[in-house]
């Protein structure tokens, strides 16, 4: 089945995500994260992007970018290829690092920009190992959630700071 074409237009806002093959880690060490951020900064300069938010999780990343020029595909190809080649050389591995092509959703900046920025920035703290995954948030939303005890909250905060 053919893939849907990417929507690329000047001034569009995109929520971009890329995930490791089989959900494996794409950032193993702090140096990996620093290098990706350096490349992301280069991509912003090279392709004229406006980067509004980003988060690097162990096995995936999220970006919220505005593309003044319709160059999302070229820029992401440059970013992902640059990082994957560097990562493979650094860690002595070969083959694909990222699963499939990156995901991109065009976002209305007025209606969804703030909410999406909130989602991206809170992504590290809304993970399952802290009991704050999507299912728990959904239960809270419908009133079926269980209020955490104060020692659980303290443990979560300590883990996030660690």
């Amino acid at each position: 089945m053919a893939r849907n074409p990417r929507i690329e237009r000047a001034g569009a806002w995109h929520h971009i995500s890329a995930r490791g093959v089989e959900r494996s880690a794409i950032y193993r060490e702090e140096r990996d994260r620093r290098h990706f951020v350096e490349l992301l900064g280069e991509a912003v300069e090279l392709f004229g992007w406006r980067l509004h938010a980003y988060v690097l999780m162990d096995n995936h990343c999220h970006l919220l970018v505005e593309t003044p020029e319709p160059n999302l595909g070229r820029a992401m190809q440059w970013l992902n290829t640059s990082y994957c080649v560097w990562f493979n050389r650094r860690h002595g591995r070969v083959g694909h690092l990222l699963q499939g092509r990156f995901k991109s959703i065009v976002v209305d900046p007025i209606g969804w920009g703030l909410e999406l920025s909130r989602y991206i920035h809170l992504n590290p703290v809304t993970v399952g190992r802290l009991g704050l995954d999507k299912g728990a948030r959904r239960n809270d939303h419908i009133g079926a959630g269980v209020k955490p005890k104060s020692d659980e909250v303290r443990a979560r905060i300590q883990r996030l700071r660690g």
Side-chain angles (χ1 to χ4, degrees):
M1 181 161 79
R3 300 189 263 192
N4 291 332
R6 292 247 183 245
I7 297 173
E8 294 199 25
R9 65 175 196 265
W13 284 45
H14 301 270
H15 174 209
I16 301 165
S17 60
R19 184 175 300 280
V21 171
E22 296 178 343
R23 297 179 184 248
S24 62
I26 58 175
Y27 312 106
R28 293 182 183 171
E29 303 167 7
E30 187 58 31
R31 178 67 186 114
D32 299 339
R33 292 175 190 279
R34 280 195 316 267
H35 188 71
F36 184 85
V37 170
E38 290 166 5
L39 290 172
L40 182 56
E42 286 184 46
V44 166
E45 286 186 35
L46 285 170
F47 297 96
W49 280 2
R50 293 188 185 108
L51 179 64
H52 296 288
Y54 73 93
V55 66
L56 308 182
M57 303 297 286
D58 290 342
N59 67 352
H60 70 283
C61 68
H62 293 274
L63 310 173
L64 177 57
V65 299
E66 182 180 353
T67 54
E69 300 296 323
N71 58 10
L72 179 68
R74 277 194 347 246
M76 284 303 295
Q77 180 184 19
W78 180 89
L79 177 62
N80 286 344
T81 300
S82 298
Y83 179 71
C84 292
V85 167
W86 178 88
F87 183 92
N88 281 351
R89 285 183 183 152
R90 174 172 165 75
H91 294 288
R93 66 181 300 278
V94 296
H96 296 285
L97 178 63
L98 300 174
Q99 179 175 302
R101 66 185 199 157
F102 66 92
K103 307 280 189 287
S104 171
I105 300 169
V106 176
V107 177
D108 170 31
I110 308 276
W112 282 99
L114 181 60
E115 184 64 29
L116 186 54
S117 177
R118 184 179 299 118
Y119 168 80
I120 289 171
H121 285 97
L122 291 176
N123 200 274
V125 297
T126 56
V127 293
R129 67 180 179 259
L130 296 175
L132 300 168
D133 59 359
K134 289 179 184 176
R137 290 195 327 259
R138 184 173 38 253
N139 285 341
D140 282 343
H141 185 70
I142 63 172
V146 177
K147 186 173 180 173
K149 297 175 183 162
S150 60
D151 59 331
E152 290 175 315
V153 173
R154 278 194 298 276
R156 288 173 180 169
I157 292 170
Q158 187 63 32
R159 182 161 186 170
L160 291 169
R161 287 181 178 158

